[in-house]
Amino acid sequence: MSSSLLSLDLKDLRLPSWLGGGGASRAGGLKPKYPPVAMDMGIGHIALARLARDKQKKWTLTSHDQLEVPADVTESDVFRIRIKSPERFRAMVAGALQKEGVKTDRISLVVPDHLARVALLPFEELPRTRREVLELVRWKMKKAVPFKVEEAAVDYEVLPGEAGRGHTILAVLMPLSIVEEQESVFVQLGIRPGLIDLSTFSLLHLYREVADAEVPAGGDFLLLNATGAFFTLMILRDGLPIFYRCKTFAFGGEEDAESALRLIHRETQASLLYYQERLSGGELARLYLRVVGHDPERVARLFDGAPASHPPDLIDPRRVVAVTGRVLASGEDRSLELMQRLAPAVGAALGRDF
């Protein structure tokens, strides 16, 4: 949220301010500065991205790495990643930074979507103060989350209400224990996390300018973030979210690839039907996909017959940032696969300054 100093102890989860156009008010008036270094703390993997500006002030991906995390180091559950071996996990993080020559005392973190509960809450009127709004969000979400809201990090953005009437709050709640556990890994390395963001929000930030250029004013577009652990489907209208749905695999019997694809297809069809019938949806201008751990072509075919004016496009950070010869040397197919894996970290590393 662009109008405040960043709380470096991360007792508050911070949403990217562009989602609400400055939405919730903050005290202070200074923009937080985010480092151009980010790590995506995924389920079973870590992805690192470091950016730098060239002489023309354009961003370049100067360093990157991705690591598989052994199952005996971390384990996940709904709304939880537990670090079973903090020493080994911390050594992996430190090793990735050292291998890429990244020296920093600040970093941005990306965590999987399913570790948080995201909701779009309509209100006719809102309290005047941020504290009262946070209390209202906690009260509204108390029975909708499987954890104690009193023990959750909470943040929000205030968006225009439907048809310009009232307000919609984009609220995010995450168990504070997750925030603290992720933070502690870096604090013990002498690094202060400055932003904790969700995977799909980082993708949206990464592709904001692309969508602005390709989606007509007032138009709708869809983003699907499909990974091996979860998938999130989000629809935006005139640049603001109107629909959000996140589902996990593995915890519902969808461990194998075919079952996972069936679940994505079922939820996508239900979401598009809701979009058309309840959100006055017409034709989607763009379908942006990030696909990791699934066949991208098969996922794209799940949108056959969707109300869209353009076939699905895989998200490609190279449309936003330049890359080095190290990426290009791996060939087009492998480069695109790498870009899919790095995309959330690149989005977080871009910061929140434009």
Side-chain angles (χ1 to χ4, degrees):
M1 302 197 178
S2 59
S3 61
S4 75
L5 289 169
L6 186 66
S7 173
L8 290 174
D9 63 6
L10 295 181
K11 299 306 179 186
D12 291 320
L13 182 70
R14 298 300 186 194
L15 294 183
S17 62
W18 71 268
L19 280 171
S25 61
R26 304 282 201 190
L30 295 177
K31 284 188 176 182
K33 293 183 179 179
Y34 304 107
V37 182
M39 270 194 167
D40 181 3
M41 315 300 285
I43 305 296
H45 80 275
I46 298 171
L48 166 68
R50 178 176 64 176
L51 304 180
R53 290 188 188 272
D54 61 20
K55 294 181 180 179
Q56 287 74 42
K57 303 298 183 180
K58 295 182 179 179
W59 288 109
T60 298
L61 177 64
T62 56
S63 303
H64 68 271
D65 197 14
Q66 54 175 335
L67 301 173
E68 298 298 321
V69 180
D72 62 341
V73 175
T74 63
E75 66 179 4
S76 66
D77 199 343
V78 179
F79 297 110
R80 176 81 182 188
I81 292 181
R82 187 170 72 86
I83 302 175
K84 297 192 292 183
S85 178
E87 296 81 8
R88 289 174 63 192
F89 191 69
R90 189 163 58 249
M92 293 182 69
V93 170
L97 293 168
Q98 184 176 18
K99 173 176 173 287
E100 291 300 314
V102 177
K103 298 180 180 180
T104 183
D105 62 357
R106 294 185 301 133
I107 198 167
S108 294
L109 303 181
V110 180
V111 297
D113 293 344
H114 74 275
L115 299 185
R117 178 59 59 88
V118 177
L120 291 162
L121 307 173
F123 294 97
E124 291 186 4
E125 297 181 355
L126 291 176
R128 292 185 178 182
T129 69
R130 171 172 169 79
R131 180 177 179 177
E132 291 174 316
V133 175
L134 287 172
E135 291 176 352
L136 181 61
V137 169
R138 288 190 175 96
W139 176 79
K140 190 78 172 179
M141 297 296 293
K142 192 175 184 68
K143 295 182 179 180
V145 297
F147 49 82
K148 295 181 179 179
V149 295
E150 297 82 6
E151 299 174 359
V154 183
D155 205 3
Y156 69 92
E157 288 282 1
V158 179
L159 314 177
E162 185 177 356
R165 296 188 295 271
H167 310 276
T168 296
I169 286 184
L170 172 64
V172 179
L173 293 84
M174 182 186 296
L176 193 57
S177 59
I178 293 176
V179 177
E180 293 172 339
E181 190 171 43
Q182 295 290 333
E183 178 190 23
S184 68
V185 172
F186 294 88
V187 169
Q188 293 185 47
L189 294 173
I191 301 172
R192 298 177 300 170
L195 169 78
I196 288 188
D197 206 355
L198 298 180
S199 178
T200 296
F201 288 175
S202 288
L203 291 178
L204 287 167
H205 179 72
L206 170 68
Y207 247 45
R208 184 185 69 165
E209 290 189 340
V210 174
D212 285 347
E214 296 182 341
V215 178
D220 300 349
F221 71 92
L222 176 148
L223 187 148
L224 174 70
N225 183 14
T227 76
F230 69 90
F231 70 94
T232 299
L233 190 148
M234 200 168 185
I235 299 175
L236 291 91
R237 174 169 295 160
D238 202 19
L240 298 176
I242 61 171
F243 180 88
Y244 181 98
R245 176 171 291 177
C246 177
K247 294 287 184 178
T248 60
F249 303 114
F251 308 118
E254 292 85 15
E255 295 90 343
D256 65 274
E258 293 300 323
S259 296
L261 283 173
R262 285 197 294 271
L263 179 61
I264 295 174
H265 183 256
R266 183 169 66 248
E267 293 297 330
T268 297
Q269 294 302 308
S271 299
L272 291 174
L273 184 62
Y274 183 91
Y275 162 70
Q276 291 180 302
E277 294 185 351
R278 301 291 297 275
L279 300 176
S280 303
E283 189 173 65
L284 293 161
R286 284 292 191 277
L287 305 169
Y288 297 121
L289 313 183
R290 179 205 178 215
V291 182
V292 174
H294 309 277
D295 182 342
E297 292 185 0
R298 294 190 65 183
V299 173
R301 287 200 296 271
L302 298 180
F303 289 89
D304 288 350
S309 60
H310 195 276
D313 290 317
L314 284 180
I315 285 179
D316 188 349
R318 293 173 297 181
R319 299 186 63 186
V320 181
V321 302
V323 297
T324 62
R326 174 184 169 193
V327 173
L328 300 175
S330 62
E332 177 58 27
D333 289 344
R334 298 191 68 176
S335 294
L336 183 56
E337 180 183 357
L338 174 64
M339 291 296 99
Q340 295 282 288
R341 294 185 176 275
L342 294 180
V346 174
L350 278 172
R352 297 292 182 265
D353 60 347
F354 64 87

